[in-house]
Structures are given as structure tokens and as C-alpha cells.
Amino acid sequence: MSTFRSFAKLNLHLEVAGRRADGYHELRTLFSTIDLADELEIELTAGGVTLETGRADLPAGRENLVVRAAEAFLAAVGGGVGARIRLLKRIPVGGGLGGGSANAATTLRGLALMTGSGPSEAELERIARSLGADVPFFLHGGLALGLGRGDEIRPLPDLHDPLELWLALPSYSVSTAEAFRAFPAERARAEPSRRVAALLAGGSIESAEGPIGENDLEAAVFGLRPELGALYTQLVRSRARVVRMSGSGSTLFAVFEDPDVARAAGIGLPPGTAWFPVRTLGRAEWHRASGYGAAERGG
Ligand code: C5P
């Protein structure tokens, strides 16, 4: 049996380039791993896939991406092996932190390591994309640009200094499909922002206006969920240097100059809102802490 850790992400920047013929939206987004993780215990068996989550609100069947990832992997290696998987959930569900997608990618990487003779890297990417637009990022970790549906990953070198961020997790979630449906087509950006253009041209994140940018979905999601817009305003007024929504929400993240001010900002948040600090993880640290073995060089 092997244990792997499955780290969450934030979208430090997210721009929408437009709606595609397949109904998805073309994105240019900046992903970063953060130090908030689920745990997956994987045991190889003679056949079939079983998942235990120990929680009634977490599906253990094919609705769970872990099961679909394991089945797709095992089909790709041609049978003769199965997996028994236990998921210990810590990443809040439905918050835009990518927990389910992270679990799927961890399942793919974990099974590839454990069986020793997995599909090629390109095949893993293909399987990851078929599971969801966010899944491929979690095969890479660290800092990366996501293009296309967010599933074409360009890994970037680590930040010089990890970011210390505070997360505000409301008690409700936002549906990704609904968030994108609410995005007004006329707000699409034909041209990449200066930040993304600089990164695409090979510039460093430090020279590309810094890592935290905008999120084009904020206005649409705040329209769907006015209480989330109110939470955003409350955090801005509590002297946060910057407040952003991650992905399609509902998680907001904030940067503060002073940790005491940050802690104080947590007082008086709406009931049921979790408030805690996280930091970004570089690629080598992510790789090691995930349980994937010797560190891979990032960048
Ligand atoms: O790929 P995933 O299942 O996470 O996406 C959920 C939904 O979010 C999609 O069905 C689509 O409606 C929307 N979406 C989108 N553009 C993206 C990613 C997701 O419109 N790049």
C-alpha cells in the first residue's frame, strides 16, 4: 500500500478569452499549488476499482473522479490489475480549490508509480484531460499557465518567494458550469493581458506584473451570489492588500501586509465561513510532499 498527498490549487489569475464551439471557454489562467492536501491510500489488487471515503457526502462510485481516473488508467494498461483506494478528504468540496481534480491526477500518478509500467506521459495527459479541464494541472503542480480549456499546461519556474495567503471559504459552493454560463460574451478578451503575454514570451513572473492578477469570472459569480460579492467587499475593507476569487469560486483569497490584521479580518466574517492561512508550494516541494519520490526539477 502507498500513501500519496493530493494538493489543492488556487488560480492566481484567470482571464476568459471567449466561448468555444465545444461549449467550453478558452482560458489563460495561472495556477499555483497550495499547502492544503487530501490523502489517498492506494493498494493494488487483482482487478476492479473500489473507493472508500468514509463520508456519506462524498460519493464512492463513478461520480467520484478518483474511480473514473483509476478505471481509465487500468483500461490503458490493459487489465490484470485493480486498485483499492481510500480517500481522506481535507480540501473543501466545491470551493474552486480543485480537490476532486487533484484526487484524479494523484490517482493517475500514484497508479503509474505503483504499477511501474504505466501509460506514457502523453497518455496520462490525455486521460487527465478527459476527466476534467482542471485535472492536467495537477499532474505538474507548482506554478503553471493553463491555456485552452485550462488543460494545456505550461509549467513555470517557482516563485522566488512563496506567497502567504488567507483563504475565506464560504459555507456554500458555486457551480463551475453556472459561473461560465453567467459570463457575458462581450467581456471576453481577444488579446492576452500584459501579464500573460509576458509569461508567454518567456518572461519571469516577477517581471510580469507579479503573480496575482485578476479573475474575469468574479463579476458574473458575484451576480449569481451577491453574498460572495459582499464578502469580497468586507475583506477589501479589512485592509487586505489584494482580494481575489479562485477559479469559479466560492473560495476567496487575500494578501495582508500584517498577520495580526489578517487574523483580525477573520472576526466578523459571516457564520460558517472558514478563515485560515496557506502558502504556495514550489514544484520540487510539491513533488516530494505528494509522495512521488525524488524531486523533479521544475520550470
Ligand atoms: O471540465 P469541468 O468538468 O471541470 O468543467 C465543468 C463545466 O464548467 C463545463 O461543463 C463547462 O460548462 C464549464 N467550463 C467552461 N470552460 C472551461 C472549463 C469549464 O465553460 N475552460
Side-chain angles (χ1 to χ4, degrees), residues 23-27 101 131-134 148-150 176-178 180-181:
Y24 274 79
H25 288 75
E26 192 76 9
L27 305 181
S101 302
L131 295 167
D134 269 356
R149 301 184 314 160
T176 303
E178 228 179 289
F180 277 106
R181 258 200 311 275

Side-chain angles (χ1 to χ4, degrees), residues 197-204:
L199 291 171
L200 288 172
S204 77

